[in-house]
Amino acid sequence: MRLRSVEDRLVAVLAESQGSGVLLTPDLVLTSAHLLSVGCLPNVSRPQAVVIAPGGRTTPVHCDVVWASHPSRCDAALLRAQHALIPEEGLAPLRWGAIATGQPVKACQVLGFPQVQRYDEDELEAVQIAGTLVPLSGLLRGRSVLRCDHHPPAPGPDSGGSPWAGLSGGPLFAGPVLCGIASSDPRGWAHSAIEATPLTSISADAGFATALRRHWPDAPFFEEVRSSHPEDIAYEERYAKAVKARYSRLEIFGLDGLGTNENSWDLDTAYLSLEARAPRRALDSDQHLRPETQRVEDLLGSRPRTVLRGEAGAGKTTLVWWLASHAACRTLPAKLSALNGLIPFVVPMRSLAAQGTVTPTPDRLPTIAQLPVEDPPSGWAGRVLESGRTLLLVDGLDELPQPDRAPARRWLTELLRLHPRTRCLVTVRPLAVADSWLQSEGFEELLLLPMSDTDIQAFVAAWHRAARLECERFTDAPYALRQRGRLDSLERDLAQEFQRNATLRDLARTPLLCAVICALHRRRSGMLPGTRWELYSAALAMLLGGRDDYRRIHQPEGITLTVNDGQQLLQRIAVWLVRNGRVELSRDQAVRQLELAMGGLRHVREQGSSDQVLTHLLNRSGLLQERATDVIQFIHRTFQDYLAAKEFRDNDSLDELLGHAAEEQWQDVIRLVIGHCGRSEARRVISGVLKAADAAPDPETEWPLRTLAAGCAIDSTCLDDELHDAVWGGLKALGPPSDDRETGFLASLGPDVLPILPDPDGLEAGLAARVVRVLCSLGKAALPLLKRYGQHSSDEVRGAVAFGWMFQDPQRYAEEVLSTMQLHDVWLPISLSEQLSALHHLDRIGGLAITGGHSSAELRRGLAECEVSWLTLRHNPALRDLDFLRNHTETEQLSIAKCPRLEDVSALSDLTVQVLELDVGSPGLEAIAASAGPLPQITSLILALADDFSVIEQILRVFPNVSSLGLNALGAQSRLLDLSALREKPTLQLDVWPHNNLEIRGAEHFGDRLRIH
């Protein structure tokens, strides 16, 4: 049986007396404590729970009492069944929350098994008692009250005078949200009201928080409930299906060449997890406490608000689609489980601009993407935002014209300030907005990295795997078998070619261009282009020329276009979009542009109208798409800019293009036009950009122009010495980069920038560190200069050089750069096994920041000859003990976090560590006390708290000499932090990082010794 609603979580509880309960998980039941004992606390050790299934009955299952409050307090208990009462896949998602209004809330209900409803002694019948929740009634007694909509039944003979006997522990729902459990039938209301214990009262109990953390670590966050709208439930199911239908299919370039029109594939088949990292600026102040490079999904889980930067074609939109489709269906992996069940609102900024506004009201959020679903109930989006269940996915901020970005920022910040629990991801090109653009709203930055060699091989495998799926549609079995065999052979050949050909690998660093290479390799039987422009040109020729011929499709709409015809037509649409600062247009606008283009293409005019030609291009070219009604766009902006660039060149409009050189959205077109230009035209373009740079009013405008000129010079096939010197001399004259934006400009030029980078001698530390960050991105060619910067006297500069280990060959970098440096006062990041094995090359190290799943044995070998003062261990699912540290008595500072299997910490007793940072979930203080005992040597302690705030009481017992204590509760959901247990330490300096809704008690005991951040 598959359960379809939260009501199906109802269970009967058979204990000292019969009652009801609600399934939190398949084996965890929340019920009333007074059912377990007639006295004060439970004396019934083996209560039973039973699911009353529709159409049948389940055998009672014995349960253990894992927590119970005194009935006089919150009257609640948690039972854990010996085995699952229902399959997990049959459970409807559970939401829970607190009533956050004083007004009556209609359409609420209490569910349960009252004794009066028994039909015979062996059968229970569930009831639904609908009514209105009246928040002020029962407020002084800490209870919720439901006023019933209908007259109650007469009491049964064994009910003790109440018709609701047996209802205790039954869930109280406000719409789909669990808000409490039934507790009593209040006197004086003639059984027309039912009292319930609110979940807020239950969750405030420290014992409940401990039990929940142990048995239900993925409990949902508390929502604020202000009204109940039953119509929302049905609509959210339809909305989730629409999101899945729209975003679970990925258009994979080149996968429609085997005989069908289908080029969209299941996203999970084609999705490739890419690497990302926090920009170096986010690591400067606390570098050792954060992982550097991880899979982007791993990084997003711990970041409620993120700006994700990435190059064109890097996979930003694909990630947005993947998150939306899986969040809506609750199928995200464990590390992103906090997003499961959130309502995704995808906001393609290109669509906003086309719709004439960049400041949509909340009610428009569900409709911007024009999903195949009817309009939502009135006010639904606002209710979703208020409840904190929104996943806002703002895609392509750089696709807004520059003047629209400031209003868009104001809209986003105001929306998030009004709804602070909204999770949000914003995607943007790397240099489109300032680094701190959304920092004030709590956004953290991530940079989506180019695909590694391993990622490229994985993409090749995924692309061909998706291509092979098409063979399953063929009815001709021998033909399908031959095609699969050919694809197997092509995959092997291309994988080997990527291993041999470094130039080809460098072209394939984004998913878009890697897919183009895969498609061309198949179509051209292994003949591959050698430059980016040759790739684009070959891709257009494949799509516009041989595509239908290859598939033996002739004049499907009665129209035949040559490659040149198709390109001329598409260029006109592309250049209109660029001139108007747009990335999409309506059908009427596209038809008008084709009419103009067809004025010089008589043989195309003779075949059909401009409307028919547009239909042909949409159906056959693979370059245009109509994603929503009357919204036409290129499959990727890169192709739009490439075609627009060619139109500017063909139409002798280079001066017009250069007139916009200072405008960011035109600069991509200028970068691409250089590939279309001959020698004199290239000189004209580069000279024009230099002229604009010379006239720039400030460095902020001059830097991108100088970088653009250098990029064009690099891509030009022929450049005289005079112009070459003017380009690079102008860029060098700007001096070393003074901020992260300028650092990014230089790094974007690749190894060609090396000759103009300064030597470290006499260079101020801050500037030198930024030069190092440029060098770290330039590959092995930068190693000699990095070695020189490694001799700098500043620990900031040497720390930047040490950070470069993340981006270089581990063994070579350790031998040629790190082994020549003083490392005693810098942090060294480690994520790879090869880095651990290279530590023997290095002298005394200040700090090691080790991330990733390294076993204790691997850490022991790597650290055997290593002397380290500060050590951080994070995100290690394989670590079970700290025995590898027993010989490292010189270690002064230790940080452990996100190591869920760590159990044995007895090695702490052998260390002289004075400063300890600890995620109390890995391990908890109980584990430390059990395996290591009191640790008097530790004087400074930072604890990252989860929801088990009861550990506060144990701190002074385990760390008796602690004088500085930090409590980080940012990731917790508990609402109350009581510091009273720490007041016996009169000299304790206390720092607390609370989340927005956290109440802090006992603060008065500390005075100015308490700092709340």
Side-chain angles (χ1 to χ4, degrees), residues 197-218:
T197 302
L199 280 182
T200 49
S201 299
I202 299 172
S203 65
D205 188 289
F208 175 78
T210 301
L212 207 64
R213 178 176 172 82
R214 182 176 299 117
H215 299 291
W216 193 21
D218 297 326

Side-chain angles (χ1 to χ4, degrees), residues 790-814:
Q791 309 307 309
H792 203 285
S793 59
S794 166
D795 61 341
E796 178 186 0
V797 179
R798 286 181 284 108
V801 176
F803 186 79
W805 204 11
M806 301 297 297
F807 313 104
Q808 299 278 353
D809 176 82
Q811 191 72 24
R812 183 172 181 179
Y813 200 78

Side-chain angles (χ1 to χ4, degrees), residues 634-653:
F634 282 89
I635 60 169
H636 199 278
R637 185 171 145 191
T638 298
F639 288 109
Q640 170 189 310
D641 291 345
Y642 176 85
L643 287 164
K646 192 169 190 310
E647 177 67 14
F648 279 115
R649 186 262 183 186
D650 291 350
N651 204 30
D652 196 19
S653 297

